[in-house]
Amino acid sequence: MYLKMARIKHLSALLLAAGLSAAKYIVPGGRWRDTDGNLVNAHAGCVTADRQTGKFWLFGEYKVEDQVEGGGVSVYSSDDLATWEHHGLALAPVEGHPYIAPSAIIQRPKVVYSKVSNEYHMWWHADNSTYGLLLQGFARSPNISGPYTFVSATAPMGNWSQDFGMFTDYKDGRSYALYSNGDSREGRDVYLAAYDADTTALESIVHRWDKYDLEAPAIVQTDKSYYALMSHKTGYRPNNVVAFRADSLSGPWSQPFMVAPLNTRTFSSQSGFVLRIEGTKKTTNLYLGDQWDSNSLWESRYIWLPIDIDERKKSLEVVWSDVYDLNVKTGEWAPVKGTTYLAKDAKTKGDAFKQEANFASGGVIVTGVYGNDSTVTFEGVQGSGKPQWVSFYYQNTDDMGFGDQPGGTPDRIGGSWQLRRIASVVVNGKTREVESLYQRDTHKGIILSTPLLLTLDNGRKNTITVGGLWNGFDHKGGDLDRIVVYPAEK
Ligand SMILES: *[C@@H]1O[C@H](CO)[C@@H](O)[C@H](O)[C@H]1NC(C)=O
Ligand SMILES: *[C@@H]1O[C@H](CO)[C@@H](O)[C@H](O)[C@H]1NC(C)=O
Ligand SMILES: *[C@@H]1O[C@H](CO)[C@@H](O)[C@H](O)[C@H]1NC(C)=O
Ligand SMILES: *[C@@H]1O[C@H](CO)[C@@H](O)[C@H](O)[C@H]1NC(C)=O
């Protein structure tokens, strides 16, 4: 007991020293730090609740810096879905193994509890580095945190399996696999297949979405409906995720429809999993999306957002909040209110200037942000003296052209593609403490936001200056619309 207390005190001292708060708010797209201060590194995975304790366990691809494959599956635990403790690898790569060697693909891991064997079962997309196998991997562990023991890698019902998802029906506890069957001409379908009661093998195909050529599937269940979410196939580049609705898993399924405001590319994210939180007051479904960073996969961010479902309209929407407060016990969530400072009222320097933009706040956006000399400064910003999230609303119209690939060129054919610009953010002129703000490509006239955790002085005399940092192409910063400063966590 004493030791535990001491450790916790020590930890929070460390966190304070590192300028980090133990985050209690959920902040989509922020740099999420675990309780050791490292970036949370568990991509395209799932969250599974422990049967006994209700504790949440996050599983995902562990990305090694500068590597695509080889990391295995990492695992984190949390009581509030915002504070994450790392428990290492749940499934570690094994040198020389035919399916989980460091050179193998271990992607989109999912973990479910099996009542029959009273253990946890992990499934994933198992492959070799050239995606020539297209199998489903299976491992098991008596402990949710692992370590998981490899069992097999198989072809589901004899077919190929690429992007992998899992869904458990809350009404009868039955689990299902969701998988796209690859990019070949004969593939391009998404399958929904039922497991046996023990979740050790697939038994039957429940539905096939024929030739829609979608991937990254997940299912949301309500009292009345099932909604299947999937993304288009644009590699690591985000696109407009769609959903299909049905009364039953075997269909008939509806036409697909978009789940987020058009051209936000689902807030720069890809679908992958939906977590159902059955609270005492409300059931909330959380969209757990990935914001892939193809320049450095290990730094990819997480876009977790509540889902709004209107059964009367048979519609589903992923709802954006910069910062929100989720009570996992009651199931209730609310956006946190922040204070807005418009770029229209900020001070520009050098070649940065205010330009008419009918889609921007106040009809004006600041453009020409570049390097150290062409900057925009927000003045009179109220701070608390503690770390607080600040969201930067921007537009970055670097055309997302990508060779001649369809779907990769919404704005321009054959253009050069830039994943993001990087803005510099300086608080109170302290140019030695420059923060880097990644500003993902947007469509023209589409304003998105990215958060940074900043420490402002207590009071209303802070300045926040935004310039441009080198992103591999130039020192351009995005066009700025506004910033929103959120209160520090209590
Ligand atoms: C992956 O498997 C396919 C099918 O067996 C094979 O053709 C390909 O050469 C393999 N790739 C590697 C890197 O071993
Ligand atoms: C499961 O976890 C418990 C408690 O941490 C531990 O005692 C046990 O050895 C673990 N079992 C396995 C198979 O890892
Ligand atoms: C997989 O299923 C597709 C149809 O969805 C079929 O055309 C293809 O031949 C199957 N592949 C294998 C290896 O069974
Ligand atoms: C900005 O300032 C830093 C530090 O003085 C310098 O290294 C960098 O080259 C400058 N960038 C530009 C684009 O001038």
Side-chain angles (χ1 to χ4, degrees):
M1 182 67 189
Y2 170 76
L3 271 176
K4 206 173 168 194
M5 287 286 290
R7 188 166 165 262
I8 288 168
K9 269 195 184 147
H10 176 63
L11 249 181
S12 46
L14 272 179
L15 288 175
L16 281 179
L20 306 167
S21 71
K24 278 183 284 158
Y25 295 150
I26 298 181
V27 187
R31 285 189 180 94
W32 291 7
R33 307 271 176 190
D34 64 18
T35 50
D36 295 327
N38 299 314
L39 285 181
V40 172
N41 192 334
H43 307 280
C46 70
V47 170
T48 307
D50 183 300
R51 285 273 299 160
Q52 271 108 46
T53 62
K55 202 183 217 356
F56 296 105
W57 294 81
L58 166 66
F59 298 87
E61 299 168 25
Y62 182 75
K63 297 291 188 190
V64 181
E65 202 168 333
D66 298 328
Q67 245 175 264
V68 173
E69 66 278 316
V73 178
S74 59
V75 55
Y76 295 78
S77 68
S78 177
D79 291 318
D80 61 3
L81 293 174
T83 314
W84 293 99
E85 187 185 343
H86 194 207
H87 299 272
L89 293 177
L91 182 73
V94 175
E95 202 64 60
H97 192 283
Y99 302 110
I100 55 168
S103 61
I105 294 280
I106 302 174
Q107 284 180 351
R108 301 191 175 272
K110 304 289 175 282
V111 172
V112 297
Y113 174 72
S114 166
K115 234 189 246 168
V116 176
S117 48
N118 186 31
E119 58 182 14
Y120 291 88
H121 290 175
M122 177 188 288
W123 288 86
W124 69 94
H125 166 208
D127 222 320
N128 67 15
S129 60
T130 51
Y131 293 80
L133 302 176
L134 296 170
L135 303 174
Q136 290 176 1
F138 171 39
R140 61 208 305 169
S141 172
N143 282 359
I144 191 165
S145 61
Y148 285 74
T149 308
F150 179 86
V151 178
S152 62
T154 51
M157 322 292 290
N159 210 290
W160 306 293
S161 176
Q162 193 161 330
D163 273 13
F164 180 79
M166 253 176 121
F167 162 70
T168 301
D169 194 308
Y170 74 80
K171 288 182 181 163
D172 60 12
R174 188 81 182 256
S175 288
Y176 297 83
L178 281 152
Y179 48 99
S180 56
N181 63 346
D183 303 332
S184 70
R185 259 197 111 66
E186 306 77 41
R188 304 183 188 177
D189 309 312
V190 172
Y191 280 87
L192 172 61
Y195 282 100
D196 58 5
D198 196 13
T199 327
T200 53
L202 288 176
E203 267 185 1
S204 60
I205 289 167
V206 176
H207 184 73
R208 183 170 85 200
W209 283 271
D210 251 335
K211 306 300 168 220
Y212 280 102
D213 210 5
L214 298 168
E215 64 181 7
I219 285 185
V220 193
Q221 181 182 14
T222 65
D223 289 348
K224 292 196 184 90
S225 303
Y226 298 90
Y227 293 85
L229 273 63
M230 300 172 204
S231 88
H232 296 84
K233 288 185 177 172
T234 50
Y236 286 118
R237 305 179 302 287
N239 57 61
N240 293 304
V241 167
V242 295
F244 302 78
R245 196 206 69 86
D247 292 333
S248 103
L249 286 172
S250 55
W253 288 87
S254 76
Q255 279 280 321
F257 57 89
M258 309 244 176
V259 303
L262 198 59
N263 292 329
T264 64
R265 302 184 181 115
T266 328
F267 311 111
S268 279
S269 79
Q270 183 179 38
S271 48
F273 193 72
V274 174
L275 175 64
R276 177 184 167 87
I277 300 159
E278 220 175 298
T280 52
K281 294 199 177 143
K282 192 180 170 189
T283 296
T284 290
N285 288 292
L286 272 194
Y287 166 89
L288 309 193
D290 293 289
Q291 184 171 81
W292 294 111
D293 186 326
S294 53
N295 293 4
S296 48
L297 282 175
W298 63 283
E299 275 192 289
S300 297
R301 311 273 174 98
Y302 309 92
I303 303 291
W304 289 13
L305 291 167
I307 288 174
D308 209 0
I309 291 169
D310 187 330
E311 293 285 15
R312 209 173 36 82
K313 291 190 190 150
K314 302 183 173 176
S315 68
L316 176 154
E317 241 178 289
V318 174
V319 185
W320 178 263
S321 298
D322 288 340
V323 178
Y324 61 98
D325 200 356
L326 171 70
N327 184 330
V328 296
K329 298 278 177 285
T330 65
E332 295 165 304
W333 67 274
V336 173
K337 285 204 181 80
T339 307
T340 299
Y341 301 86
L342 298 183
K344 172 174 134 328
D345 304 324
K347 214 175 238 175
T348 56
K349 201 184 105 187
D351 293 334
F353 68 103
K354 294 169 189 175
Q355 188 176 21
E356 175 182 319
N358 63 11
F359 52 84
S361 306
V364 162
I365 204 162
V366 171
T367 189
V369 175
Y370 198 95
N372 303 326
D373 301 324
S374 298
T375 59
V376 52
T377 298
F378 297 86
E379 296 176 316
V381 178
Q382 171 99 46
S384 67
K386 293 184 202 138
Q388 48 196 127
W389 289 99
V390 178
S391 277
F392 294 77
Y393 280 76
Y394 71 93
Q395 167 192 247
N396 166 5
T397 59
D398 295 333
D399 290 345
M400 211 182 217
F402 195 75
D404 52 5
Q405 285 186 26
T409 59
D411 290 349
R412 182 163 55 127
I413 294 171
S416 64
W417 178 57
Q418 295 179 38
L419 174 72
R420 48 164 159 72
R421 298 184 189 183
I422 304 178
S424 61
V425 175
V426 168
V427 174
N428 296 328
K430 294 181 201 152
T431 47
R432 284 211 201 151
E433 296 166 31
V434 178
E435 295 277 349
S436 57
L437 176 78
Y438 290 7
Q439 297 166 313
R440 309 274 306 208
D441 183 275
T442 66
H443 278 288
K444 292 173 182 67
I446 297 295
I447 290 174
L448 295 176
S449 68
T450 300
L452 269 186
L453 193 62
L454 298 178
T455 304
L456 309 174
D457 292 341
N458 191 16
R460 47 176 73 249
K461 285 198 180 149
N462 293 281
T463 63
I464 295 180
T465 300
V466 185
L469 291 172
W470 180 249
N471 76 340
F473 294 89
D474 53 35
H475 287 91
K476 247 192 250 172
D479 302 334
L480 275 186
D481 180 80
R482 65 192 185 277
I483 63 171
V484 182
V485 180
Y486 291 95
E489 277 146 346
K490 280 148 259 157

